[in-house]
Amino acid sequence: MCGIVGYVGTQTATEILLSGLEKLEYRGYDSAGVATIWEDEVNCVRAKGKLSNLRSKLEHLQSPAQIGIGHTRWATHGKPEEYNAHPHMDTAMRIAVAVNGIIENYSKLREELKQQGYQFRSDTDVEVIPHLIAQFLKEEIAFGQSNSDSVFLEAVRKAVNELQGAFAIAIISADYPDELIVVRQQAPIVIGFGQGEFFCASDTPAIISHTKAVLPLENGELARLTPLGVEVYNFAGQRLKKHPRLLSLNPMMVEKQGFKHFMLKEIYEQPGVVRACLEAYFNTDWHPGNSSRSPINIGLASEFYADIEQIHIVACGTSWHAALIGKYLLEQLAQIPTQVHYASEFRYAPSPLTPNTLTIGVTQSGETADTLAALAMEQERRQGREPKYQARLLGITNRPESSLGYMVSHMINTLAGIEIGVAATKTFIAQLMAFYALALDLAYSRQTLPLENLEDILKGLRQIPKEMEATLESQEKLTEQLAHEFAETQDFIFLGRGINFPIALEGALKLKEISYIHAEGYPAGEMKHGPIALLDAKVPVVAIAVPGSVYEKVISNAQEAKARDSRLIGVTPVKDGEAAEIFNDLVPVSFVDELLSPILTVVPLQLLAYHIAARRGLDVDQPRNLAKSVTVE
Ligand code: AGP
């Protein structure tokens, strides 16, 4: 996934582009570049690595240009070297493009263009685009009868009709110095409306400080931005009537507000996220006496649920861990058989078609290519079948305006607010809240849970924000000390059972992805079937031990680990007895019902990963090789 920013208006463009790219670095940071137009020339400056490298290249080039595009890259085709950085240009250096996405038919186009004399300078797939536009411009000027009053727009329109793949593109040309053309096909891009100035960006944080009036382009649309306004067309060239909407975001949401990293800020925002979800999803005044209606309001009509016989969930990474907890809740509370699939696996080996099946896609970004492709495959294979075999798609996402929003018939918005840190934290908590709401709503409508139990669970959920704040309060120092001790550790094992097994997986992933330490999560009962061979004094073990159905089992698994000289860290509300004897370090969490405990037990694991990575001096918000959403397969 890459980040694109564009500007046309009355201010100088470069600083607007750079500060916009800073807000998009979470989308990729292998290289960056900007292209502006001044005195009949395109001035294109690119740099390998972080945006700061580009900034230093630009600091003595004070360009007065008032139109430009910028790009920050997550490499897909072509190494993360400067010659592969965007913007890319045509042979004559008159056209510059910044692209987010993949051009699937690039090799065929590249060969055809080479035969027509176009010279390529990069190994990327997207470099075919400026050359294709140059070719159509030439034809347009020679023979064009275009009905649009922009030859440039018409040439771009014809060029993008030749492309196959998923892409968002921003394009400028020295021959049309007042026009910024923006294209969307699958990958997101929004237009920002200012006063006599217009913006485009892959995501709203890049432009929120300039305007809240935005218009997300839809698939198959392109727009022409000039200082006089915005025109939107479809790929067939028909003009479309579109109006911007006002964002509810405030610019502060994309600032660190005193925290060293966005990730730490977002960990501390989690109690507020739980409150927002409680407020939105649960009727707080419900009690069994007035149980004529469900205590849950997630906007899913009962006929959407009616006669569901099974559920399939597709997701990736942290969202896949949330899905595993969703499975536990849907099966234990609503008694619905539920299967969880890695989206990248499901699309090539889907489960057999079954009737009355709900398929859920969980993706905080709403742009993960594997998850979208798995849902598209599910939709397609059920197309045209008899009603009970037709697709019933539900999305759980933090970005309802994303591509996911165009694919599913029903959606649960996870209300976590923009998450900048590449490592998912508050969006994970919000996904859990969505699954509690969904499972309880289904349990209510199918009457699989006594109303008194339902009421107890609701009461317990209402306590979570306060308990989470207490946990955060008690954790900060402790996890910082532990981080000091473990900053140079090479391997970590995380153990959990039952509803906390996915939390062991999530704790391991957090540590891996931001500290680059090898870590694995296992069901505690699995250790004796092989992984225990890994243990010795150099391999610390984190065990999640929550009083309830599996507590004693986890304690005995911890004992087995201790007998192999591992250092034992216990995430548990228990402070005495066996826990105090066995664990070298007790990481306290507030005592809540085992069913609700994952919302709390993940917090110390997030903080442990954060502090270890910070102590190792790593870039916590933008870990190497990663991007906030993986829009490539
Ligand atoms: C989580 O910390 C990672 N950044 C990654 O595993 C992420 O969860 C995964 O790429 C899925 O992203 P999505 O929720 O946007 O689909």
Side-chain angles (χ1 to χ4, degrees):
M1 179 175 77
C2 305
I4 298 172
V5 185
Y7 175 77
V8 57
T10 50
Q11 300 184 63
T12 50
T14 304
E15 186 45 43
I16 291 172
L17 298 173
L18 290 173
S19 52
L21 289 177
E22 271 160 14
K23 297 290 183 293
L24 297 182
E25 266 202 300
Y26 70 88
R27 301 173 64 88
Y29 29 88
D30 293 331
S31 61
V34 292
T36 54
I37 296 174
W38 182 250
E39 290 179 345
D40 189 37
E41 278 199 347
V42 179
N43 178 23
C44 185
V45 180
R46 304 178 298 177
K48 179 179 175 180
K50 308 296 290 267
L51 192 58
S52 46
N53 300 343
L54 178 65
R55 257 194 191 285
S56 8
K57 270 185 139 179
L58 283 164
E59 63 192 2
H60 50 280
L61 302 171
Q62 300 303 332
S63 157
Q66 297 173 324
I67 181 171
I69 56 176
H71 184 275
T72 182
R73 184 176 185 235
W74 187 72
T76 53
H77 291 77
K79 285 199 171 77
E81 298 296 341
E82 183 175 325
Y83 65 87
N84 284 327
H86 300 217
H88 287 284
M89 298 179 71
D90 65 323
T91 310
M93 312 283 273
R94 304 292 295 167
I95 299 166
V97 305
V99 187
N100 173 30
I102 294 261
I103 309 302
E104 288 169 355
N105 60 334
Y106 80 95
S107 37
K108 174 175 162 295
L109 292 170
R110 190 178 173 109
E111 281 323 302
E112 287 167 2
L113 288 160
K114 273 183 171 173
Q115 278 155 26
Q116 292 168 52
Y118 292 95
Q119 286 124 34
F120 283 77
R121 306 182 190 91
S122 80
D123 306 334
T124 66
D125 54 338
V126 297
E127 194 192 342
V128 297
I129 296 172
H131 298 305
L132 210 48
I133 294 170
Q135 179 194 48
F136 279 108
L137 256 181
K138 216 186 292 176
E139 289 170 14
E140 231 12 72
I141 291 163
F143 324 101
Q145 293 88 23
S146 70
N147 50 11
S148 86
D149 56 9
S150 159
V151 170
F152 182 31
L153 175 81
E154 188 58 5
V156 170
R157 187 185 70 78
K158 290 181 173 173
V160 296
N161 274 301
E162 299 296 313
L163 304 177
Q164 289 161 21
F167 46 83
I169 314 171
I171 309 141
I172 54 175
S173 165
D175 299 319
Y176 305 89
D178 294 335
E179 298 185 36
L180 166 59
I181 310 288
V182 184
V183 179
R184 172 180 180 157
Q185 181 64 318
Q186 303 291 343
I189 194 153
V190 293
I191 312 285
F193 289 67
Q195 303 293 334
E197 56 183 13
F198 297 90
F199 308 80
C200 72
S202 301
D203 198 358
T204 47
I207 53 177
I208 185 80
S209 55
H210 302 288
T211 177
K212 291 188 180 178
V214 298
L215 168 66
L217 279 190
E218 297 191 39
N219 290 338
E221 291 182 350
L222 66 164
R224 176 171 168 255
L225 283 59
T226 71
L228 302 177
V230 176
E231 302 148 27
V232 181
Y233 299 83
N234 62 20
F235 279 12
Q238 289 141 343
R239 179 87 185 261
L240 305 172
K241 272 226 163 311
K242 294 269 186 172
H243 302 288
R245 61 183 172 81
L246 278 184
L247 275 176
S248 54
L249 281 184
N250 70 53
M252 289 308 287
M253 288 180 78
V254 290
E255 300 304 333
K256 289 181 191 153
Q257 293 166 359
F259 286 91
K260 189 158 181 265
H261 296 102
F262 279 110
M263 182 180 174
L264 191 58
K265 171 185 164 228
E266 287 151 5
I267 290 172
Y268 275 83
E269 285 176 343
Q270 291 180 137
V273 169
V274 174
R275 286 193 179 91
C277 294
L278 286 170
E279 181 66 29
Y281 301 155
F282 298 88
N283 298 324
T284 44
D285 58 357
W286 183 89
H287 56 80
N290 69 1
S291 62
S292 57
R293 59 196 173 95
S294 168
I296 314 293
N297 46 26
I298 44 180
L300 301 181
S302 52
E303 52 274 13
F304 181 67
Y305 289 147
D307 63 24
I308 287 178
E309 291 171 23
Q310 54 197 302
I311 296 173
H312 288 275
I313 311 176
V314 293
C316 304
T318 287
S319 297
W320 184 77
H321 298 151
L324 289 175
I325 290 183
K327 166 187 167 66
Y328 186 95
L329 297 170
L330 290 163
E331 290 188 336
Q332 303 306 318
L333 300 179
Q335 307 296 316
I336 303 177
T338 301
Q339 294 184 42
V340 177
H341 309 270
Y342 280 119
S344 55
E345 290 295 310
F346 183 78
R347 40 185 309 211
Y348 300 105
S351 312
L353 271 188
T354 47
N356 301 319
T357 300
L358 172 64
T359 304
I360 304 175
V362 187
T363 164
Q364 65 81 18
S365 63
E367 299 298 345
T368 297
D370 286 322
T371 305
L372 297 179
L375 289 171
M377 188 273 299
E378 182 67 348
Q379 175 73 50
E380 195 186 321
R381 71 177 187 150
R382 289 178 178 272
Q383 200 86 42
R385 301 240 174 209
E386 55 178 308
K388 68 180 182 179
Y389 278 93
Q390 284 177 10
R392 255 186 277 197
L393 301 186
L394 170 64
I396 297 180
T397 186
N398 203 45
R399 308 307 299 270
E401 77 285 357
S402 63
S403 302
L404 177 79
Y406 296 103
M407 294 187 74
V408 296
S409 55
H410 293 73
M411 168 95 73
I412 300 177
N413 180 356
T414 53
L415 306 172
I418 291 234
E419 184 175 69
I420 304 285
V422 164
T425 50
K426 63 176 185 174
T427 53
F428 174 69
I429 291 290
Q431 289 170 345
L432 298 190
M433 293 304 291
F435 273 117
Y436 280 99
L438 178 64
L440 290 169
D441 202 25
L442 277 163
Y444 178 82
S445 61
R446 301 159 70 93
Q447 298 177 347
T448 53
L449 189 67
L451 294 181
E452 293 64 36
N453 297 19
L454 180 52
E455 187 182 25
D456 289 346
I457 293 170
L458 294 176
K459 278 187 188 141
L461 282 169
R462 280 198 285 275
Q463 297 310 310
I464 291 294
K466 181 167 58 67
E467 298 304 346
M468 189 181 272
E469 279 159 351
T471 297
L472 280 165
E473 187 69 32
S474 63
Q475 287 305 320
E476 188 59 51
K477 276 285 147 271
L478 177 62
T479 36
E480 221 170 327
Q481 280 154 18
L482 286 176
H484 183 68
E485 289 187 52
F486 293 118
E488 298 318 314
T489 302
Q490 297 302 310
D491 295 283
F492 253 95
I493 298 286
F494 291 77
L495 302 180
R497 276 185 182 247
I499 198 167
N500 276 297
F501 160 49
I503 297 301
L505 296 177
E506 176 59 11
L509 176 62
K510 285 283 117 12
L511 188 63
K512 270 186 268 199
E513 68 174 322
I514 62 173
S515 72
Y516 316 149
I517 291 175
H518 172 251
E520 295 306 328
Y522 287 105
E526 266 303 293
M527 286 304 286
K528 53 187 173 297
H529 300 289
I532 201 165
L534 293 170
L535 302 189
D536 60 26
K538 297 192 295 300
V539 181
V541 171
V542 179
I544 303 164
V546 170
S549 56
V550 293
Y551 176 76
E552 284 70 25
K553 292 290 178 202
V554 174
I555 292 293
S556 67
N557 297 140
Q559 245 149 0
E560 291 155 9
K562 192 162 178 90
R564 272 77 187 177
D565 300 330
S566 280
R567 170 94 177 261
L568 262 295
I569 300 159
V571 176
T572 176
V574 180
K575 296 181 176 52
D576 51 16
E578 285 177 310
E581 271 163 46
I582 292 169
F583 292 115
N584 304 93
D585 305 279
L586 277 178
V587 178
V589 287
S590 305
F591 183 83
V592 295
D593 189 282
E594 180 184 25
L595 185 80
L596 307 180
S597 62
I599 314 173
L600 294 186
T601 53
V602 72
V603 173
L605 304 189
Q606 294 168 339
L607 286 170
L608 181 64
Y610 169 80
H611 286 299
I612 289 178
R615 181 160 292 281
R616 288 163 72 99
L618 298 171
D619 193 336
V620 174
D621 286 330
Q622 295 160 10
R624 68 185 181 195
N625 309 334
L626 297 182
K628 185 60 185 168
S629 163
V630 182
T631 54
V632 291
E633 296 175 9

